[in-house]
Every structure is written in structure tokens, then in C-alpha cells.
Amino acid sequence: MDNKETRNFIEREIDKDLKEGTYSSVHTRFPPEPNGYLHIGHAKSIVLNSGIAEEYGGLFNLRFDDTNPTKEKPEFVESIKEDVKWLGADWGDRLFFASSYFDKMYEYALVLIEKGSAYVSELNADEIREYRGTLTEPGKEDPGRNRSVEENLRIFKEMKDGVYEDGKYVLRGKIDMASPNINMRDPILYRIAHIPHHNTGDKWCIYPMYDFAHPLEDAIEGISHSLCTLEFEDHRPLYDWVIKECGIEVPPRQIEFAKLYLNNVVTGKRYIKKLVEDGTVDGWDDPRLVSIAGLRRRGYTPESIRKFVELCGISKAQSTAEMEMLEYCIREDLKPKVKRLMAVIHPLKLIIDNYPEGQTEELKAVNNPDNEELGERTVSFSRELWIEREDFMEEPPKKYFRLFPGNEVRLMNAYFVKCTGCDKDAEGNITAVHCTYDPLTKQGTGVEIGRKVKGTIHWVNAGDAAPAEIRLYENIVDEEKGVYNEEGNINLNPNSLEVCAGFVEKSLSEAKAYDSFQFVRNGFFCADAKDSKPGKPVFNRIVSLKSSFKLSQ
Ligand code: ATP
Ligand code: MG
């Protein structure tokens, strides 16, 4: 295997397990609950689990952990499949649903009852909590703890047969009410819930709890290494208890790793869901979200997300990553891959007074100086152009090298122009900028004019540029205030979306969903998959070009 130094702690554990013969092969799974869309944190788990399976020539399962029908929906099953596939994790024909093991789980529950390791309890939720004790005090025994096996079997079967309403009884594991680990104080294994399930319909009105179901799901599928996040560390003794009490021959091994958190970003499923449900964002795939669907719609690529996860690393120590690192990854990914075109986001008319009226010429432009394969194109040029509003100032500050009266700049891929003044409306707003061009400065003609300019600005030809809606994004969180306020609500940034009526080179008018480009000086952009239509393009800014982020490695 690889160099020891570069292997993460999970790989080292697996190496050891294989060497010692605890397992003969590696089998992992990604076990999402279909109660929402996946987010960047899940990407870490997906990349880790599928990557480990691939690295060891093992198997990888996509398993829906659908044991709690309250919030689960087929819409989420479909979106999760799409996102996992898009990220490049291949489950082949290994798609499973925990709900298809309900019969087996029920059988295992009977086994536990029969051997005296589980009992039916009549306590309600509040009482169970009260009986559980605290970190400093042991719990109290449930009055149902000493019920006979026969009686437990009878009531549990009746629970399954729908005899009782929700909450009347639960099935508890008989472990240790004095355990220092509260998870071991007779945990609930099954509860009654008369709720139809997206896969099993009305067949069941009792559902297994996560701590009982998950180890069994792993065992049934023959998982060797059950990789999960740190919050389950204290549940591991219970995981192992279930496996042992149920007599599983080859016990799967749970190993915990730290969750991926992004500083100042809404990552939890619950919180993303809230933003979706209260209409703050445009669905689960809003480009401001770090849901996988949102990142995809924004223009992130699977490669950039995988790279990000890799840079974050796998460890047991909780830490937070910076959004800037994710942005760095998409910039690096797209830089050599996409064409660099011109688009004007906040347009202002530039009139070249000495350019012949009615004349248009085609100028050559290189599509990406870092990637010859992307070739060349022509851009049309005429007397009236669109430039960025911020590229003209009537009274410029020091070190402003763009257009102002008397100053000369280069129009990218075209000519030098010298600013002569501007037009204003009755309110004093600037409506157009005037200039003259120097035909000898035509780009690519090789004419040496012996003059230099300090500024280069981009432009599009007003005569045939395509109007485009351009969406600029900021963090949906108000970074000054932090993600959550005292009531647990999200501090929203009111400026997280700016919609601009811009102009793009005419070929961009037909951009297809997810097509990405660099718009020179403005950043990387992606045609919006929901709203962009041929002739009516809409672009999302994925990321700007500049960053203070430095990869420190
Ligand atoms: P959330 O924390 O957003 O509510 P969840 O953990 O409830 O998500 P699940 O569908 O239960 O979502 O998660 C599926 C798998 O993804 C689990 O194994 C879980 O540990 C892992 N996972 C969830 N969030 C993260 C994260 N931020 N970083 C790494 N793995 C994660
Ligand atoms: Mg969960």
C-alpha cells in the first residue's frame, strides 16, 4: 500500500484489520436517510466510503436508511441517487433500502425478547426520560423490565398487529440502567407509529430505532467497515451490543470520523430544509446553498468537490473548513477547462465617435491562453459597445487607470480608445461615454505605435450582444453576525442575490444548462439549469476571480 505517512487513520485501521485477518475484504456503504437533499458534508462521507471500497478492491453500497417514515419521501430518494451518481460514486447494482429488512429486524427483535435481552415498556416518553437518570445519577428500572418472555412476545406481536395506538408501548433493550454511557440505559429499539412508509406502505405500524436498525442493516449487507461521524462514537457500545446479542457471525466494525463543517455556512440538513420550506431560497437547489444540488446548479463540478474533500482530509478531530477553500478548488478546476469570454454585468454605453457608422468588423480572440485546444473565436466590434459602469469615472481617484476624460485604455482584443467625455440625463446620471479610437492600435496587426496604456477593459458589441440575466451571489449568512441568532434562526444576508441585466457575446445566447465560462475580469459563470433558455440566457456567478485564499501545503 501507499506511503504510511499519507494514509489517514481509517486506512491504517483497515490495513491492520486485513493484516490480522479480522476481515478478508472491505465493504463500505453510504447510508443517507431520505429526509432531505444531500449537502457538502455528505459529499465527504460519499467520497470516503466509495473511495475506500475502490482503493481496497472492495464493494460499496448505497443504502437508504429509511426507518423513520415521518419525514422520508421518494423525492429525496431520487435526488440522493442523482447527487451520489453525479459525484462519481458508483454503487453499481448495490442499491438497498433498510425498509426491505423490516421483516428480518422484527425477527431479530423476537430473538432478543426470547433470550431476555429486550422487553416491552409501558412508560411514556417523559417517564422514560425521567427514569433514564443523568450523567451523575444512575437511571431507575422500568416496571416492564421483569415482564415474562411470553408476555413480552405477546404484546410485541400485538404492537406489530396494530392493536395499540402510537406511544402506548415501546420495546427496550435490557442492558444496564446504571451504565455510565446513557445510550446503554435500556435504549428503545422499537416504537409504534401508525404512519405509512414510502416503500412498505401500511404493512408496518412499528418501526425500529436507528441504534437497533443500523448495525443490523450493516450486518445484513455484510459491511466490514461502517464509517460514520463522530456523534455516534458514544453509540458504538450499543452498536456492538446489538450485533452480539443478535448473534451476528462476522461483526461489522464502526469507525467514527469528524464531520465536515464550513465556517459561516449553513450546512445541516435541518437548517437547509428550513430555508427551503419557509421560501427564503428557491428550492433545495438554490445556488446559494451548499446542498449538492445547489452547488451543481451554481456551477461547481464533481471534481472540485472531490478535491475539496480531499484537501479537508479525514481525521477524528473536529474542525471547520473555509468556503474560500471550496472556491479555490472550483477556480483551479475551471481555469484550464473553460473558455474566457466577454460579458458586461452592469452595462454602460461606450460610443466611439470616430468609428464609421454602420460598420462592423470581426476581431480574433483566443479562447483560453492556458489551453490552446480551446481554440479561437471572433468577436464583433462596431461604433457602439457596452462596457462596465465601473470602468468609467468622471472624476477618478488616484491609481484609477480605466476610462476617464482624457485617458486612453485598451479595449481587450480590439483597439486603444481615448475618453472624450460623457452624456448625462436630466438627473445627472451618466448615460453614455464618448471616446475616439486609434486604428493603428488594432490588436494583432503588429503595428508598433510606441504608446502604452495602463488599463485594459472588456466590452461587448452593442449591435449584436445578447441580453442576459446575470446573478451574483454572496453568502446567504450575514457573516458579521454569524450563522445563528439567539433564537436559533439563521442571520440572513439581505444582499445574497443580485440580479443584473447584462450583455454577453452573442454565441452565449444559446448556452446550455451547466455550461461554464470565465467572463474575463468578472469571474466564473454557469448557465442556470432551471431558468436559462435558448435566446434568454441566465448565468450564475460561481465564483469571482480573486481570492485571498492560499493553499498552505
Ligand atoms: P445532517 O447532519 O445534515 O442533519 P444527517 O447526518 O442527519 O445530516 P444522514 O442522511 O443521516 O444525514 O447522513 C448520511 C451519512 O452522511 C451519515 O453516515 C452521516 O454520518 C454522514 N454525514 C452527514 N453529515 C456529514 C458531514 N457534515 N460530514 C461528513 N459526513 C456527514
Ligand atoms: Mg440523520
Side-chain angles (χ1 to χ4, degrees):
M1 290 277 160
D2 290 350
N3 182 349
K4 258 215 162 74
E5 312 285 289
T6 62
R7 297 180 74 62
N8 65 49
F9 82 97
I10 292 181
E11 292 168 318
R12 289 198 297 270
E13 289 299 315
I14 296 178
D15 290 346
K16 202 165 108 214
D17 285 344
L18 292 175
K19 198 166 151 218
E20 290 171 358
T22 316
Y23 301 100
S24 56
S25 59
V26 172
H27 195 160
T28 61
R29 85 290 175 261
F30 173 63
E33 184 180 0
N35 61 354
Y37 279 54
L38 299 181
H39 53 63
I40 185 81
H42 295 114
K44 175 172 181 175
S45 178
I46 295 166
V47 169
L48 173 67
N49 278 292
S50 64
I52 289 275
E54 198 177 339
E55 178 186 343
Y56 289 90
L59 297 173
F60 168 68
N61 295 1
L62 172 59
R63 177 210 309 148
F64 285 95
D65 194 358
D66 55 349
T67 56
N68 175 9
T70 342
K71 295 176 193 151
E72 296 165 1
K73 282 202 267 179
E75 176 200 348
F76 299 138
V77 170
E78 291 313 310
S79 75
I80 290 171
K81 277 160 57 179
E82 192 181 336
D83 291 348
V84 175
K85 186 176 281 166
W86 179 77
L87 278 171
D90 184 8
W91 65 84
D93 56 0
R94 312 195 59 80
L95 173 66
F96 302 102
F97 289 85
S99 56
S100 52
Y101 312 141
F102 282 165
D103 283 292
K104 286 185 186 155
M105 291 177 187
Y106 178 76
E107 294 299 323
Y108 279 118
L110 294 179
V111 168
L112 295 193
I113 296 173
E114 273 160 11
K115 64 194 279 200
S117 297
Y119 62 90
V120 166
S121 163
E122 212 174 347
L123 297 182
N124 64 34
D126 287 338
E127 288 163 335
I128 287 188
R129 202 170 309 124
E130 201 188 300
Y131 275 60
R132 190 175 293 139
T134 63
L135 285 172
T136 50
E137 276 171 62
K140 274 196 301 188
E141 288 205 352
D142 187 311
R145 213 171 198 262
N146 300 315
R147 212 187 293 275
S148 71
V149 168
E150 291 66 36
E151 183 132 351
N152 280 321
L153 284 173
R154 176 181 63 80
I155 302 174
F156 187 56
K157 283 179 183 158
E158 286 171 352
M159 284 164 64
K160 176 184 111 167
D161 293 338
V163 174
Y164 307 111
E165 76 270 25
D166 294 3
K168 172 77 180 149
Y169 288 109
V170 291
L171 184 71
R172 298 183 76 169
K174 195 174 190 174
I175 311 182
D176 178 6
M177 287 311 290
S179 172
N181 182 341
I182 293 186
N183 295 307
M184 300 299 274
R185 295 186 187 171
D186 292 11
I188 300 176
L189 308 181
Y190 260 95
R191 69 201 163 103
I192 303 171
H194 291 267
I195 305 171
H197 185 282
H198 76 104
N199 264 353
T200 58
D202 290 326
K203 181 173 175 197
W204 295 91
C205 63
I206 55 170
Y207 293 99
M209 303 301 286
Y210 178 90
D211 283 328
F212 179 64
H214 206 85
L216 293 176
E217 293 159 25
D218 287 340
I220 291 166
E221 291 176 16
I223 299 301
S224 61
H225 295 85
S226 179
L227 311 179
C228 67
T229 38
L230 230 44
E231 73 272 24
F232 295 107
E233 191 166 26
D234 291 343
H235 295 241
R236 188 173 356 120
L238 179 50
Y239 182 102
D240 293 340
W241 180 87
V242 171
I243 291 293
K244 182 160 162 277
E245 292 296 311
C246 291
I248 305 298
E249 278 174 22
V250 185
R253 175 177 177 197
Q254 175 178 305
I255 303 178
E256 309 85 15
F257 62 94
K259 271 195 171 182
L260 173 64
Y261 286 108
L262 277 170
N263 193 16
N264 266 334
V265 172
V266 182
T267 32
K269 210 192 268 176
R270 200 150 54 94
Y271 297 99
I272 295 180
K273 189 176 212 154
K274 192 161 177 297
L275 292 173
V276 173
E277 285 173 354
D278 63 20
T280 309
V281 295
D282 171 31
W284 285 95
D285 61 356
D286 187 292
R288 289 167 292 181
L289 297 175
V290 292
S291 56
I292 302 298
L295 290 168
R296 175 167 63 233
R297 187 172 161 203
R298 177 84 169 252
Y300 277 85
T301 57
E303 294 81 1
S304 64
I305 295 175
R306 297 177 79 93
K307 177 75 188 172
F308 172 69
V309 166
E310 191 188 304
L311 288 176
C312 286
I314 302 295
S315 89
K316 246 187 144 70
Q318 199 64 71
S319 67
T320 55
E322 298 298 325
M323 192 66 195
E324 282 74 19
M325 189 154 93
L326 182 57
E327 295 178 343
Y328 164 86
C329 292
I330 186 66
R331 267 191 215 101
E332 291 300 303
D333 186 39
L334 293 181
K335 219 185 265 173
K337 279 190 193 166
V338 300
K339 291 183 181 172
R340 300 181 189 174
L341 307 178
M342 294 195 285
V344 172
I345 298 179
H346 299 104
L348 175 63
K349 188 62 80 60
L350 178 73
I351 302 169
I352 309 168
D353 290 302
N354 64 339
Y355 195 88
E357 247 172 282
Q359 178 176 315
T360 304
E361 64 182 304
E362 296 293 330
L363 300 168
K364 266 199 185 152
V366 174
N367 284 329
N368 185 334
D370 297 339
N371 181 354
E372 262 180 36
E373 278 174 26
L374 292 176
E376 284 183 352
R377 70 189 187 285
T378 58
V379 286
S380 66
F381 184 87
S382 68
R383 188 170 190 268
E384 294 197 6
L385 309 175
W386 294 111
I387 60 168
E388 296 289 349
R389 209 154 253 287
E390 63 171 34
D391 284 341
F392 171 76
M393 284 185 100
E394 208 175 5
E395 288 165 27
K398 268 197 188 124
K399 299 211 170 155
Y400 184 88
F401 300 120
R402 292 169 273 169
L403 285 170
F404 56 87
N407 192 40
E408 189 171 47
V409 303
R410 174 188 287 108
L411 292 178
M412 196 176 283
N413 303 311
Y415 297 95
F416 284 11
V417 290
K418 187 168 198 170
C419 182
T420 53
C422 63
D423 298 336
K424 290 182 187 168
D425 65 12
E427 276 97 56
N429 300 310
I430 295 163
T431 54
V433 176
H434 288 268
C435 66
T436 55
Y437 88 118
D438 178 351
L440 290 180
T441 59
K442 180 166 174 175
Q443 181 250 355
T445 58
V447 176
E448 213 22 275
I449 49 145
R451 240 178 25 250
K452 282 203 175 118
V453 288
K454 281 197 171 150
T456 299
I457 66 172
H458 64 276
W459 52 275
V460 291
N461 181 13
D464 62 12
E469 178 173 320
I470 297 179
R471 298 176 180 168
L472 306 180
Y473 300 101
E474 282 179 16
N475 193 346
I476 198 158
V477 168
D478 183 336
E479 293 180 4
E480 309 245 295
K481 295 189 184 145
V483 182
Y484 307 109
N485 63 22
E486 279 166 9
E487 289 93 60
N489 294 319
I490 293 161
N491 290 314
L492 291 172
N493 167 10
N495 305 317
S496 60
L497 169 63
E498 183 192 350
V499 178
C500 310
F503 289 98
V504 294
E505 289 184 31
K506 65 176 179 239
S507 66
L508 283 168
S509 163
E510 306 299 316
K512 289 191 225 33
Y514 302 115
D515 278 355
S516 292
F517 308 92
Q518 182 180 136
F519 291 167
V520 289
R521 297 175 65 221
N522 280 321
F524 291 97
F525 291 77
C526 177
D528 188 80
K530 253 191 189 166
D531 301 329
S532 196
K533 300 277 171 318
K536 276 193 165 260
V538 177
F539 295 99
N540 298 317
R541 175 148 73 186
I542 310 168
V543 69
S544 64
L545 296 177
K546 292 191 193 83
S547 162
S548 51
F549 178 80
K550 291 244 164 35
L551 196 58
S552 56
Q553 272 173 346

